[in-house]
Amino acid sequence: MKNRIYAALVIGLVLAPNVGLAQEPPGDAVRMLVDVRSQVEWLDRNRAGGVWPGFAPGDVPVLYVLPGAGTLLLGWDGELPDGFVAVSGVAGAGWRAEADRGAASTGVSLDGRGTAQVVVHELDIAPLIATSVHEAFHVYQGSVSETGRRFGQGENSFLVTRYPIFDVDNEAGFALEGRLLSAAMSAEAESERVELVQRFVAVREGRHRRLDAELVDFEALAELNEGLAQYAGVRALQLLAAASDAPLRSQLEAEMDESLGDLDRLTESGAQSFRLRFYYSGAAMSLLLDEVAGDEWKTFLLEKNLTLQETLAELSGYRVREAALQVMAYEQFDWWTLASETEVSIEDLRRRLKTRVDSVLSQPGVRVVISAEHIGGYIGLCGIDPQNLLQVDSGVLFHTRWLRPCAGSALQGEFNTPVVHDQNAGTLEAVIGTLGEVTLTIGGVAVSLGG
Protein backbone atom coordinates (compact mmCIF):
# COMPACT_ATOMS: atom_id res chain seq x y z
CA MET A 1 0.00 0.00 0.00
CA LYS A 2 1.36 3.39 -0.87
CA ASN A 3 2.58 5.66 1.89
CA ARG A 4 -0.11 7.73 3.46
CA ILE A 5 1.14 10.82 5.26
CA TYR A 6 -1.76 12.95 6.42
CA ALA A 7 -0.57 16.50 6.84
CA ALA A 8 -1.40 20.06 5.93
CA LEU A 9 1.26 22.03 4.09
CA VAL A 10 0.84 25.68 3.16
CA ILE A 11 3.34 26.83 0.53
CA GLY A 12 1.63 29.85 -1.00
CA LEU A 13 -0.33 28.12 -3.77
CA VAL A 14 -3.37 25.90 -4.01
CA LEU A 15 -3.34 22.64 -5.94
CA ALA A 16 -7.03 22.34 -6.75
CA PRO A 17 -8.66 19.35 -8.40
CA ASN A 18 -9.74 19.60 -12.00
CA VAL A 19 -13.36 20.59 -11.47
CA GLY A 20 -16.22 20.44 -13.93
CA LEU A 21 -14.20 19.15 -16.86
CA ALA A 22 -16.69 16.47 -17.89
CA GLN A 23 -20.23 16.52 -16.53
CA GLU A 24 -20.86 13.18 -18.26
CA PRO A 25 -18.40 10.27 -18.20
CA PRO A 26 -16.61 9.56 -21.49
CA GLY A 27 -18.38 6.64 -23.11
CA ASP A 28 -15.24 4.88 -24.34
CA ALA A 29 -13.68 5.04 -20.87
CA VAL A 30 -16.81 3.72 -19.20
CA ARG A 31 -17.02 0.78 -21.61
CA MET A 32 -13.36 -0.12 -21.12
CA LEU A 33 -13.45 0.18 -17.32
CA VAL A 34 -16.69 -1.79 -17.05
CA ASP A 35 -14.96 -4.50 -19.08
CA VAL A 36 -12.00 -4.38 -16.69
CA ARG A 37 -14.39 -4.70 -13.78
CA SER A 38 -16.17 -7.65 -15.37
CA GLN A 39 -12.85 -9.46 -15.83
CA VAL A 40 -11.98 -8.92 -12.16
CA GLU A 41 -15.40 -10.13 -11.02
CA TRP A 42 -14.99 -13.21 -13.26
CA LEU A 43 -12.06 -14.21 -11.06
CA ASP A 44 -14.29 -14.25 -7.97
CA ARG A 45 -16.93 -16.37 -9.69
CA ASN A 46 -14.63 -18.83 -11.44
CA ARG A 47 -11.27 -18.77 -9.65
CA ALA A 48 -12.24 -17.92 -6.06
CA GLY A 49 -9.11 -17.69 -3.90
CA GLY A 50 -6.94 -18.29 -6.95
CA VAL A 51 -4.98 -15.08 -6.47
CA TRP A 52 -4.72 -15.36 -2.68
CA PRO A 53 -6.75 -17.32 -0.11
CA GLY A 54 -9.57 -15.15 1.22
CA PHE A 55 -8.99 -12.34 -1.29
CA ALA A 56 -11.92 -11.48 -3.56
CA PRO A 57 -10.82 -8.57 -5.78
CA GLY A 58 -14.37 -8.11 -7.07
CA ASP A 59 -15.52 -7.25 -3.54
CA VAL A 60 -13.33 -4.13 -3.49
CA PRO A 61 -14.84 -1.01 -5.14
CA VAL A 62 -12.55 0.98 -7.41
CA LEU A 63 -12.15 4.68 -8.08
CA TYR A 64 -10.86 5.19 -11.62
CA VAL A 65 -9.36 8.67 -11.87
CA LEU A 66 -9.46 10.01 -15.43
CA PRO A 67 -7.13 13.05 -15.53
CA GLY A 68 -8.77 16.00 -17.17
CA ALA A 69 -12.19 14.35 -17.14
CA GLY A 70 -13.41 13.09 -13.76
CA THR A 71 -13.62 10.04 -11.50
CA LEU A 72 -15.57 6.86 -12.17
CA LEU A 73 -16.59 4.67 -9.21
CA LEU A 74 -17.33 1.00 -9.93
CA GLY A 75 -18.42 -1.88 -7.71
CA TRP A 76 -20.19 0.23 -5.08
CA ASP A 77 -22.99 -1.31 -3.03
CA GLY A 78 -25.80 0.88 -1.73
CA GLU A 79 -26.23 4.64 -1.90
CA LEU A 80 -23.46 6.39 -3.77
CA PRO A 81 -21.06 8.60 -1.78
CA ASP A 82 -21.61 12.35 -1.77
CA GLY A 83 -20.53 14.03 -5.00
CA PHE A 84 -21.20 11.02 -7.22
CA VAL A 85 -24.12 10.63 -9.60
CA ALA A 86 -25.37 7.34 -10.97
CA VAL A 87 -24.15 6.17 -14.38
CA SER A 88 -27.01 5.08 -16.60
CA GLY A 89 -27.05 1.38 -17.36
CA VAL A 90 -24.19 0.44 -15.02
CA ALA A 91 -25.09 -0.99 -11.62
CA GLY A 92 -22.96 0.17 -8.68
CA ALA A 93 -21.36 2.94 -10.74
CA GLY A 94 -21.00 6.62 -9.94
CA TRP A 95 -19.47 9.61 -11.72
CA ARG A 96 -17.87 12.68 -10.20
CA ALA A 97 -16.86 15.52 -12.49
CA GLU A 98 -13.57 15.98 -10.64
CA ALA A 99 -10.17 14.41 -11.07
CA ASP A 100 -7.66 15.18 -8.34
CA ARG A 101 -4.38 16.27 -9.96
CA GLY A 102 -2.43 14.75 -7.10
CA ALA A 103 -4.19 11.37 -7.20
CA ALA A 104 -2.08 8.22 -7.30
CA SER A 105 -2.89 4.57 -7.73
CA THR A 106 -3.28 3.39 -4.13
CA GLY A 107 -5.77 2.21 -1.55
CA VAL A 108 -8.06 4.83 0.00
CA SER A 109 -11.04 5.05 2.32
CA LEU A 110 -14.30 6.19 0.74
CA ASP A 111 -17.23 6.71 3.11
CA GLY A 112 -15.36 4.52 5.61
CA ARG A 113 -14.94 1.67 3.13
CA GLY A 114 -11.64 0.39 1.77
CA THR A 115 -11.47 1.32 -1.90
CA ALA A 116 -8.86 0.82 -4.61
CA GLN A 117 -7.88 3.92 -6.57
CA VAL A 118 -6.42 3.64 -10.06
CA VAL A 119 -5.21 6.56 -12.15
CA VAL A 120 -6.07 5.84 -15.80
CA HIS A 121 -3.32 7.04 -18.09
CA GLU A 122 -4.29 4.85 -21.04
CA LEU A 123 -7.37 2.82 -21.90
CA ASP A 124 -5.46 -0.45 -22.09
CA ILE A 125 -7.29 -3.40 -20.58
CA ALA A 126 -4.37 -5.58 -19.44
CA PRO A 127 -2.48 -3.02 -17.32
CA LEU A 128 -5.78 -1.72 -15.94
CA ILE A 129 -6.70 -5.22 -14.75
CA ALA A 130 -3.28 -5.71 -13.17
CA THR A 131 -3.34 -2.34 -11.41
CA SER A 132 -6.94 -2.77 -10.26
CA VAL A 133 -6.11 -6.09 -8.59
CA HIS A 134 -2.81 -4.73 -7.23
CA GLU A 135 -4.55 -1.86 -5.45
CA ALA A 136 -7.47 -4.03 -4.36
CA PHE A 137 -4.95 -6.39 -2.77
CA HIS A 138 -3.56 -3.50 -0.73
CA VAL A 139 -7.07 -2.86 0.57
CA TYR A 140 -7.32 -6.55 1.48
CA GLN A 141 -3.93 -6.49 3.23
CA GLY A 142 -5.06 -3.59 5.36
CA SER A 143 -8.33 -5.30 6.26
CA VAL A 144 -6.64 -8.43 7.63
CA SER A 145 -3.54 -6.90 9.21
CA GLU A 146 -2.86 -7.87 12.81
CA THR A 147 -0.43 -6.58 15.40
CA GLY A 148 2.73 -8.65 15.30
CA ARG A 149 2.00 -10.20 11.91
CA ARG A 150 4.17 -9.14 9.00
CA PHE A 151 1.55 -9.64 6.31
CA GLY A 152 -0.27 -6.34 5.90
CA GLN A 153 2.16 -4.43 8.10
CA GLY A 154 3.89 -2.43 5.39
CA GLU A 155 7.45 -1.15 5.42
CA ASN A 156 8.82 2.01 7.01
CA SER A 157 9.09 3.95 3.77
CA PHE A 158 11.03 6.78 5.40
CA LEU A 159 14.01 4.45 5.16
CA VAL A 160 14.21 5.19 1.44
CA THR A 161 16.02 8.35 2.57
CA ARG A 162 19.04 6.35 3.72
CA TYR A 163 18.96 3.13 1.77
CA PRO A 164 22.56 2.52 0.54
CA ILE A 165 22.05 2.85 -3.21
CA PHE A 166 25.66 4.06 -3.58
CA ASP A 167 27.11 1.06 -1.74
CA VAL A 168 28.81 -1.04 -4.42
CA ASP A 169 28.68 -4.34 -2.52
CA ASN A 170 25.00 -4.01 -1.65
CA GLU A 171 23.94 -2.89 -5.13
CA ALA A 172 26.00 -5.57 -6.86
CA GLY A 173 24.53 -8.12 -4.47
CA PHE A 174 20.97 -7.06 -5.28
CA ALA A 175 21.76 -7.06 -8.99
CA LEU A 176 23.04 -10.64 -8.67
CA GLU A 177 19.85 -11.62 -6.83
CA GLY A 178 17.79 -10.23 -9.69
CA ARG A 179 19.74 -12.26 -12.23
CA LEU A 180 19.32 -15.40 -10.15
CA LEU A 181 15.57 -14.81 -9.96
CA SER A 182 15.46 -14.22 -13.71
CA ALA A 183 17.38 -17.42 -14.42
CA ALA A 184 15.18 -19.40 -12.05
CA MET A 185 12.04 -18.04 -13.74
CA SER A 186 13.43 -19.14 -17.13
CA ALA A 187 14.66 -22.57 -16.02
CA GLU A 188 12.92 -25.45 -17.77
CA ALA A 189 14.00 -28.26 -15.45
CA GLU A 190 12.63 -28.28 -11.91
CA SER A 191 15.99 -29.33 -10.47
CA GLU A 192 17.70 -26.35 -12.14
CA ARG A 193 15.01 -23.98 -10.87
CA VAL A 194 15.35 -25.24 -7.29
CA GLU A 195 19.14 -24.97 -7.45
CA LEU A 196 18.92 -21.35 -8.65
CA VAL A 197 16.36 -20.50 -5.97
CA GLN A 198 18.67 -21.89 -3.29
CA ARG A 199 21.57 -19.88 -4.67
CA PHE A 200 19.38 -16.78 -4.56
CA VAL A 201 18.63 -17.41 -0.87
CA ALA A 202 22.33 -17.91 -0.13
CA VAL A 203 23.31 -14.66 -1.87
CA ARG A 204 20.43 -12.74 -0.25
CA GLU A 205 21.29 -13.95 3.26
CA GLY A 206 24.95 -13.16 2.73
CA ARG A 207 24.14 -9.61 1.62
CA HIS A 208 21.75 -9.13 4.50
CA ARG A 209 24.45 -10.02 7.02
CA ARG A 210 26.30 -6.89 5.88
CA LEU A 211 23.22 -4.64 5.86
CA ASP A 212 21.73 -2.78 8.84
CA ALA A 213 19.01 -4.84 10.49
CA GLU A 214 16.53 -1.99 10.05
CA LEU A 215 17.15 -1.96 6.30
CA VAL A 216 16.91 -5.76 6.09
CA ASP A 217 13.47 -5.46 7.66
CA PHE A 218 12.59 -2.66 5.22
CA GLU A 219 13.42 -4.86 2.25
CA ALA A 220 11.47 -7.84 3.56
CA LEU A 221 8.37 -5.81 4.38
CA ALA A 222 8.51 -3.89 1.08
CA GLU A 223 8.49 -7.22 -0.76
CA LEU A 224 5.61 -8.48 1.39
CA ASN A 225 3.74 -5.23 0.81
CA GLU A 226 4.36 -4.11 -2.76
CA GLY A 227 5.87 -7.34 -4.05
CA LEU A 228 2.84 -9.40 -3.05
CA ALA A 229 0.45 -6.79 -4.47
CA GLN A 230 2.41 -6.87 -7.74
CA TYR A 231 2.19 -10.65 -7.68
CA ALA A 232 -1.59 -10.43 -7.14
CA GLY A 233 -1.89 -8.41 -10.34
CA VAL A 234 0.31 -10.84 -12.27
CA ARG A 235 -1.51 -13.87 -10.87
CA ALA A 236 -4.85 -12.37 -11.93
CA LEU A 237 -3.48 -11.92 -15.45
CA GLN A 238 -2.29 -15.56 -15.45
CA LEU A 239 -5.70 -16.90 -14.47
CA LEU A 240 -7.52 -14.72 -16.98
CA ALA A 241 -5.08 -15.53 -19.80
CA ALA A 242 -5.59 -19.26 -19.27
CA ALA A 243 -9.34 -18.81 -19.88
CA SER A 244 -9.22 -16.12 -22.61
CA ASP A 245 -9.29 -16.27 -26.37
CA ALA A 246 -6.16 -15.49 -28.38
CA PRO A 247 -6.46 -11.70 -28.85
CA LEU A 248 -6.99 -10.91 -25.17
CA ARG A 249 -4.64 -13.69 -24.02
CA SER A 250 -1.71 -12.15 -25.88
CA GLN A 251 -2.36 -8.77 -24.26
CA LEU A 252 -2.58 -10.32 -20.80
CA GLU A 253 0.62 -12.33 -21.27
CA ALA A 254 2.51 -9.28 -22.52
CA GLU A 255 1.42 -7.33 -19.44
CA MET A 256 2.56 -10.21 -17.20
CA ASP A 257 6.08 -9.77 -18.56
CA GLU A 258 5.88 -5.99 -18.17
CA SER A 259 4.70 -6.32 -14.56
CA LEU A 260 7.83 -8.25 -13.61
CA GLY A 261 10.17 -5.54 -14.87
CA ASP A 262 13.65 -6.45 -16.02
CA LEU A 263 14.98 -8.81 -13.35
CA ASP A 264 18.39 -8.82 -15.04
CA ARG A 265 18.69 -5.07 -14.39
CA LEU A 266 16.92 -4.60 -11.07
CA THR A 267 19.31 -1.93 -9.79
CA GLU A 268 19.27 0.16 -12.98
CA SER A 269 16.11 2.13 -12.21
CA GLY A 270 17.59 5.45 -13.37
CA ALA A 271 15.14 8.27 -12.82
CA GLN A 272 12.59 5.99 -11.15
CA SER A 273 12.56 5.25 -7.43
CA PHE A 274 14.75 2.30 -6.43
CA ARG A 275 11.76 1.13 -4.36
CA LEU A 276 10.33 -0.39 -7.55
CA ARG A 277 12.90 -3.16 -7.33
CA PHE A 278 10.95 -4.67 -4.41
CA TYR A 279 7.78 -4.81 -6.52
CA TYR A 280 9.60 -6.97 -9.02
CA SER A 281 11.73 -9.08 -6.68
CA GLY A 282 8.72 -9.79 -4.45
CA ALA A 283 6.53 -10.75 -7.39
CA ALA A 284 9.25 -12.99 -8.83
CA MET A 285 9.76 -14.79 -5.52
CA SER A 286 6.02 -15.33 -5.25
CA LEU A 287 5.79 -16.82 -8.74
CA LEU A 288 8.75 -19.10 -8.00
CA LEU A 289 7.00 -20.24 -4.83
CA ASP A 290 4.03 -21.15 -7.03
CA GLU A 291 6.40 -23.33 -9.03
CA VAL A 292 8.23 -25.05 -6.15
CA ALA A 293 5.39 -25.35 -3.62
CA GLY A 294 2.01 -24.77 -5.28
CA ASP A 295 -0.65 -22.65 -3.58
CA GLU A 296 0.17 -24.07 -0.15
CA TRP A 297 3.00 -21.60 0.31
CA LYS A 298 0.57 -18.76 0.92
CA THR A 299 -1.03 -20.40 3.95
CA PHE A 300 2.43 -21.48 5.15
CA LEU A 301 3.73 -17.90 4.96
CA LEU A 302 0.77 -16.58 6.93
CA GLU A 303 0.78 -19.30 9.59
CA LYS A 304 4.54 -19.09 10.18
CA ASN A 305 4.62 -15.26 9.91
CA LEU A 306 7.44 -15.46 7.37
CA THR A 307 8.88 -13.16 4.74
CA LEU A 308 8.96 -14.21 1.09
CA GLN A 309 12.67 -14.91 1.32
CA GLU A 310 12.21 -17.09 4.43
CA THR A 311 9.37 -18.97 2.76
CA LEU A 312 11.56 -19.68 -0.27
CA ALA A 313 14.35 -20.92 1.99
CA GLU A 314 11.98 -23.29 3.79
CA LEU A 315 10.02 -24.66 0.84
CA SER A 316 12.84 -24.91 -1.69
CA GLY A 317 14.80 -27.26 0.56
CA TYR A 318 17.50 -24.69 1.30
CA ARG A 319 17.10 -25.29 5.02
CA VAL A 320 17.44 -29.07 4.64
CA ARG A 321 21.24 -28.92 4.50
CA GLU A 322 21.27 -26.52 7.43
CA ALA A 323 19.04 -28.88 9.44
CA ALA A 324 21.23 -31.85 8.54
CA LEU A 325 24.31 -30.05 9.85
CA GLN A 326 22.49 -29.27 13.09
CA VAL A 327 21.51 -32.91 13.56
CA MET A 328 25.11 -33.98 12.96
CA ALA A 329 26.31 -31.51 15.61
CA TYR A 330 23.61 -32.62 18.06
CA GLU A 331 24.61 -36.26 17.65
CA GLN A 332 28.37 -35.69 17.71
CA PHE A 333 28.26 -33.82 21.03
CA ASP A 334 25.20 -35.56 22.53
CA TRP A 335 22.81 -32.60 22.64
CA TRP A 336 20.32 -34.40 24.87
CA THR A 337 22.81 -35.03 27.67
CA LEU A 338 24.14 -31.49 27.28
CA ALA A 339 20.63 -30.05 27.60
CA SER A 340 19.98 -32.10 30.74
CA GLU A 341 23.27 -30.99 32.29
CA THR A 342 22.50 -27.37 31.37
CA GLU A 343 19.12 -27.57 33.11
CA VAL A 344 20.82 -28.75 36.31
CA SER A 345 23.42 -25.98 35.99
CA ILE A 346 20.75 -23.29 35.55
CA GLU A 347 18.84 -24.46 38.62
CA ASP A 348 22.07 -24.40 40.62
CA LEU A 349 22.82 -20.87 39.40
CA ARG A 350 19.31 -19.74 40.35
CA ARG A 351 19.75 -21.13 43.89
CA ARG A 352 23.16 -19.52 44.36
CA LEU A 353 21.94 -16.12 43.20
CA LYS A 354 18.88 -16.29 45.44
CA THR A 355 21.10 -17.14 48.39
CA ARG A 356 23.28 -14.14 47.60
CA VAL A 357 20.29 -11.80 47.36
CA ASP A 358 18.80 -13.10 50.61
CA SER A 359 22.15 -12.55 52.29
CA VAL A 360 22.34 -8.92 51.14
CA LEU A 361 18.77 -8.09 52.15
CA SER A 362 19.13 -9.76 55.57
CA GLN A 363 22.06 -7.58 56.63
CA PRO A 364 21.45 -5.28 59.60
CA GLY A 365 20.44 -1.76 58.71
CA VAL A 366 17.64 0.28 57.21
CA ARG A 367 15.72 -1.68 54.57
CA VAL A 368 14.26 0.57 51.89
CA VAL A 369 11.39 -0.65 49.73
CA ILE A 370 10.18 1.49 46.79
CA SER A 371 6.93 0.34 45.21
CA ALA A 372 5.76 1.40 41.76
CA GLU A 373 2.22 1.26 43.09
CA HIS A 374 2.85 4.42 45.13
CA ILE A 375 4.81 6.47 42.57
CA GLY A 376 2.73 6.46 39.42
CA GLY A 377 2.73 2.78 38.52
CA TYR A 378 6.25 2.28 37.18
CA ILE A 379 9.92 2.40 38.07
CA GLY A 380 12.27 3.42 35.29
CA LEU A 381 16.02 2.88 35.03
CA CYS A 382 17.93 6.07 34.28
CA GLY A 383 21.33 4.57 35.01
CA ILE A 384 22.73 1.04 35.45
CA ASP A 385 26.13 -0.60 35.64
CA PRO A 386 25.73 -3.48 33.14
CA GLN A 387 28.98 -5.10 34.20
CA ASN A 388 27.65 -5.45 37.74
CA LEU A 389 24.07 -6.46 37.02
CA LEU A 390 22.87 -10.03 37.48
CA GLN A 391 19.63 -11.71 36.48
CA VAL A 392 18.46 -13.58 39.57
CA ASP A 393 15.32 -14.97 37.96
CA SER A 394 12.89 -14.07 35.19
CA GLY A 395 12.08 -10.38 35.76
CA VAL A 396 14.27 -10.09 38.87
CA LEU A 397 17.50 -8.05 38.62
CA PHE A 398 20.30 -7.70 41.15
CA HIS A 399 22.29 -4.46 40.84
CA THR A 400 25.40 -5.34 42.84
CA ARG A 401 27.09 -1.91 42.89
CA TRP A 402 25.11 1.05 41.58
CA LEU A 403 21.67 2.06 40.27
CA ARG A 404 19.88 5.27 39.36
CA PRO A 405 16.11 4.67 39.39
CA CYS A 406 13.62 7.25 38.16
CA ALA A 407 9.90 7.76 37.65
CA GLY A 408 9.42 11.31 36.41
CA SER A 409 9.01 13.82 39.22
CA ALA A 410 7.85 11.06 41.59
CA LEU A 411 11.28 9.43 41.88
CA GLN A 412 14.84 10.57 41.29
CA GLY A 413 17.46 8.66 43.21
CA GLU A 414 20.82 6.98 43.26
CA PHE A 415 21.97 3.83 45.09
CA ASN A 416 25.61 3.04 45.77
CA THR A 417 24.67 -0.20 47.52
CA PRO A 418 23.27 -3.49 46.16
CA VAL A 419 19.63 -3.24 45.01
CA VAL A 420 17.12 -5.95 44.14
CA HIS A 421 14.75 -4.88 41.35
CA ASP A 422 11.71 -7.12 41.06
CA GLN A 423 10.16 -6.02 37.78
CA ASN A 424 7.25 -8.43 38.22
CA ALA A 425 6.25 -6.95 41.58
CA GLY A 426 7.33 -3.40 40.65
CA THR A 427 9.63 -2.96 43.65
CA LEU A 428 13.16 -1.93 44.56
CA GLU A 429 14.68 -3.25 47.78
CA ALA A 430 17.99 -2.33 49.40
CA VAL A 431 19.68 -2.16 52.80
CA ILE A 432 21.32 1.25 52.97
CA GLY A 433 23.02 1.33 56.39
CA THR A 434 22.34 1.42 60.11
CA LEU A 435 19.99 3.88 61.77
CA GLY A 436 22.93 5.91 62.97
CA GLU A 437 24.32 6.22 59.45
CA VAL A 438 21.12 7.19 57.66
CA THR A 439 19.65 10.69 57.56
CA LEU A 440 16.17 11.22 56.17
CA THR A 441 15.01 14.68 55.18
CA ILE A 442 11.53 15.70 54.07
CA GLY A 443 11.20 19.15 52.61
CA GLY A 444 14.75 19.89 53.75
CA VAL A 445 13.96 19.01 57.37
CA ALA A 446 15.67 16.06 59.10
CA VAL A 447 13.26 13.41 60.33
CA SER A 448 14.11 10.86 63.02
CA LEU A 449 13.87 7.22 62.00
CA GLY A 450 13.65 6.05 65.61
CA GLY A 451 16.14 3.98 67.46
Side-chain angles (χ1 to χ4, degrees):
M1 194 171 293
K2 306 297 185 294
N3 309 321
R4 299 196 185 96
I5 305 171
Y6 299 101
L9 177 63
V10 179
I11 56 175
L13 72 160
V14 177
L15 298 178
N18 296 323
V19 179
L21 297 181
Q23 295 304 317
E24 297 293 332
D28 56 344
V30 172
R31 286 188 292 273
M32 169 64 77
L33 295 172
V34 167
D35 192 9
V36 168
R37 182 71 186 178
S38 68
Q39 295 288 339
V40 172
E41 291 176 345
W42 182 93
L43 291 169
D44 291 350
R45 292 192 305 272
N46 299 280
R47 298 291 187 271
V51 173
W52 191 270
F55 171 50
D59 284 350
V60 181
V62 185
L63 284 169
Y64 290 103
V65 180
L66 303 168
T71 303
L72 180 67
L73 173 62
L74 294 179
W76 191 263
D77 293 329
E79 185 177 351
L80 290 170
D82 288 344
F84 286 87
V85 295
V87 177
S88 177
V90 184
W95 174 254
R96 182 176 64 194
E98 299 177 4
D100 188 348
R101 290 175 183 159
S105 293
T106 185
V108 298
S109 177
L110 182 62
D111 273 9
R113 182 177 179 185
T115 304
Q117 179 171 280
V118 176
V119 179
V120 181
H121 297 292
E122 294 183 41
L123 293 178
D124 191 343
I125 189 168
L128 285 170
I129 291 172
T131 306
S132 297
V133 175
H134 178 119
E135 302 306 343
F137 192 76
H138 279 317
V139 174
Y140 169 75
Q141 286 174 309
S143 71
V144 299
S145 64
E146 298 176 4
T147 301
R149 188 165 81 166
R150 287 160 158 167
F151 182 86
Q153 179 179 334
E155 74 279 12
N156 176 6
S157 290
F158 282 101
L159 290 174
V160 299
T161 62
R162 67 178 189 86
Y163 189 84
I165 60 170
F166 301 111
D167 182 303
V168 173
D169 288 341
N170 189 72
E171 289 298 280
F174 208 109
L176 177 56
E177 291 163 26
R179 295 185 181 188
L180 285 163
L181 289 173
S182 177
M185 295 277 288
S186 302
E188 296 183 1
E190 181 180 357
S191 58
E192 181 186 5
R193 181 183 303 111
V194 169
E195 174 65 23
L196 287 164
V197 164
Q198 291 181 355
R199 290 180 187 178
F200 163 79
V201 175
V203 170
R204 168 65 68 92
E205 292 190 349
R207 182 175 63 82
H208 276 180
R209 281 192 287 271
R210 300 186 295 271
L211 192 63
D212 287 352
E214 193 175 36
L215 294 173
V216 170
D217 191 55
F218 164 75
E219 286 193 3
L221 292 178
E223 287 170 336
L224 275 178
N225 180 27
E226 295 293 1
L228 273 184
Q230 191 77 353
Y231 162 78
V234 173
R235 180 62 178 150
L237 295 172
Q238 276 187 334
L239 295 171
L240 290 168
S244 299
D245 293 332
L248 178 57
R249 183 188 308 124
S250 62
Q251 294 179 58
L252 298 173
E253 290 175 345
E255 182 59 26
M256 286 163 49
D257 292 339
E258 186 71 21
S259 295
L260 286 172
D262 189 344
L263 293 170
D264 287 315
R265 291 175 173 78
L266 267 185
T267 58
E268 299 176 24
S269 59
Q272 293 181 298
S273 170
F274 77 89
R275 187 170 172 267
L276 285 172
R277 68 180 62 171
F278 304 115
Y279 287 59
Y280 305 138
S281 61
M285 280 190 275
S286 300
L287 289 168
L288 286 167
L289 280 163
D290 283 344
E291 294 290 334
V292 302
D295 285 340
E296 290 77 13
W297 72 267
K298 300 167 185 176
T299 302
F300 184 80
L301 177 146
L302 292 172
E303 289 179 348
K304 301 295 184 180
N305 196 23
L306 301 177
T307 66
L308 286 169
Q309 168 192 328
E310 291 168 341
T311 307
L312 263 182
E314 293 285 349
L315 298 183
S316 70
Y318 180 80
R319 297 290 183 223
V320 173
R321 176 62 178 164
E322 180 180 63
L325 291 170
Q326 290 175 348
V327 170
M328 292 167 62
Y330 288 163
E331 292 177 347
Q332 181 179 359
F333 294 97
D334 191 359
W335 158 261
W336 299 272
T337 299
L338 179 60
S340 178
E341 292 172 348
T342 301
E343 184 178 10
V344 172
S345 176
I346 288 173
E347 287 303 314
D348 179 62
L349 175 63
R350 184 180 280 116
R351 283 193 296 270
R352 286 188 285 110
L353 288 170
K354 186 177 184 303
T355 299
R356 183 174 175 184
V357 166
D358 290 344
S359 174
V360 167
L361 294 181
S362 63
Q363 293 180 14
V366 177
R367 184 165 179 167
V368 173
V369 179
I370 300 175
S371 174
E373 180 182 355
H374 302 295
I375 56 171
Y378 78 99
I379 296 174
L381 301 178
C382 286
I384 64 171
D385 180 352
Q387 193 69 13
N388 291 284
L389 186 154
L390 302 173
Q391 292 190 53
V392 177
D393 208 333
S394 178
V396 181
L397 306 177
F398 183 34
H399 302 267
T400 65
R401 189 190 71 82
W402 178 80
L403 172 67
R404 182 178 293 161
C406 56
S409 60
L411 173 65
Q412 293 292 329
E414 184 172 340
F415 287 92
N416 291 304
T417 58
V419 181
V420 178
H421 183 190
D422 189 331
Q423 295 174 310
N424 304 315
T427 59
L428 294 174
E429 292 188 60
V431 175
I432 61 174
T434 65
L435 284 175
E437 297 172 327
V438 176
T439 300
L440 173 66
T441 61
I442 300 178
V445 179
V447 176
S448 173
L449 292 173

